């Protein structure tokens, strides 16, 4: 596996800036949420706080419920590994409007930078393909960001992107921690009643 690692904050900012306005975003806990929020809070973003392993399953449910909208999960390798079995269901369903973006620094960044399985030999692209997700790619160059955004917009196939990022920790940009307010804002972006 290549040793090239991208700046996480820049990659996320570039990707979010290129996504269609109607994209539904689900962030994993910690850094993915901070990075998406730092790129500019936008309607249709659901920030998970403390639900380790839940970003990809939630995004899958949204993609199945809202086939008219592109859905993107932005998560980290540690959080994603906690719910890796969801890829089996994604591989069985293959919603064409779902994109899973895994920011992989090969560490459990939120719990003390212990090496994650990806730093110990697990190849996430091979894992995704093994679960039946054929459009699985590894991103090691910022120039690949535009191609990924085009795949999101096209909604032609379930896409899985492992993004190799470095371990730098930019200043935290914390999204709102009010769960009810986050839920209501997200429901409103879907045109649903809030309560």
């Amino acid at each position: 596996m290549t040793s090239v690692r991208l700046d996480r904050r820049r990659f996320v900012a570039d990707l979010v800036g290129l996504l269609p306005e109607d994209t539904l975003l689900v962030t994993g806990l910690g850094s993915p949420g901070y990075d998406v929020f730092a790129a500019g809070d936008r309607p249709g973003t659901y920030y998970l706080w403390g639900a380790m392993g839940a970003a990809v399953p939630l995004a899958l449910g949204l993609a199945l419920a809202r086939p008219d909208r592109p859905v993107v999960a932005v998560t980290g390798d540690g959080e994603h590994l906690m719910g890796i079995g969801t890829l089996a269901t994604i591989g069985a369903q293959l919603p064409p409007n779902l994109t899973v973006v895994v920011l992989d620094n090969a560490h459990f960044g939120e719990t003390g930078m212990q090496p994650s399985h990806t730093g110990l030999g697990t190849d996430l692209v091979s894992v995704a393909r093994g679960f039946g997700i054929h459009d699985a790619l590894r991103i090691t160059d910022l120039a690949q960001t535009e191609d990924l955004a085009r795949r999101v917009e096209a909604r032609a196939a379930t896409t899985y992107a492992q993004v190799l990022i470095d371990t730098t920790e930019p200043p935290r940009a914390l999204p709102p921690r009010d769960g009810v307010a986050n839920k209501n804002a997200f429901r409103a972006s879907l045109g649903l009643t809030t309560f």
Side-chain angles (χ1 to χ4, degrees):
M1 188 176 295
T2 181
S3 61
V4 174
R5 298 252 170 204
L6 305 179
D7 178 275
R8 184 189 86 215
R9 180 74 46 95
R10 179 169 175 203
F11 169 80
V12 172
D14 288 354
L15 178 63
V16 170
L18 292 168
L19 293 177
E21 287 185 24
D22 65 340
T23 301
L24 300 174
L25 276 164
V26 178
T27 72
L29 62 89
S31 299
Y34 310 154
D35 295 338
V36 169
F37 186 71
D41 193 24
R42 54 190 268 166
T45 302
Y46 195 85
Y47 301 101
L48 287 177
W49 282 99
M52 190 163 184
V56 174
L58 179 57
L60 170 60
L62 282 170
L64 293 172
R66 294 302 302 261
D68 58 315
R69 306 272 297 263
V71 178
V72 177
V74 180
T75 189
D77 55 307
E79 196 263 347
H80 178 50
L81 286 163
M82 188 68 125
I84 198 77
T86 302
L87 292 182
T89 304
I90 292 173
Q93 296 289 320
L94 293 175
N97 60 325
L98 176 62
T99 302
V100 176
V101 177
V102 182
L103 305 175
D104 183 0
N105 67 4
H107 290 83
F108 290 99
E110 302 307 312
T111 61
M113 294 303 285
Q114 303 89 346
S116 80
H117 295 80
T118 63
L120 301 171
T122 298
D123 180 338
L124 290 178
V125 170
S126 294
V127 169
R129 288 183 180 148
F131 278 121
I133 303 167
H134 304 292
D135 190 13
L137 63 143
R138 184 171 295 112
I139 294 180
T140 59
D141 189 321
L142 287 172
Q144 293 173 274
T145 311
E146 287 186 32
D147 176 60
L148 181 59
R150 280 192 294 272
R151 291 170 192 241
V152 171
E153 186 171 15
R155 292 183 284 145
T158 300
T159 301
Y160 184 94
Q162 176 192 23
V163 184
L164 300 186
I165 58 165
D166 62 30
T167 57
T168 58
E169 186 61 37
R172 291 186 174 181
L174 300 176
R177 292 187 77 156
D178 183 333
V180 173
N182 285 336
K183 174 201 69 157
N184 287 339
F186 190 76
R187 287 181 60 86
S189 75
L190 293 170
L192 301 172
T193 304
T194 59
F195 49 90

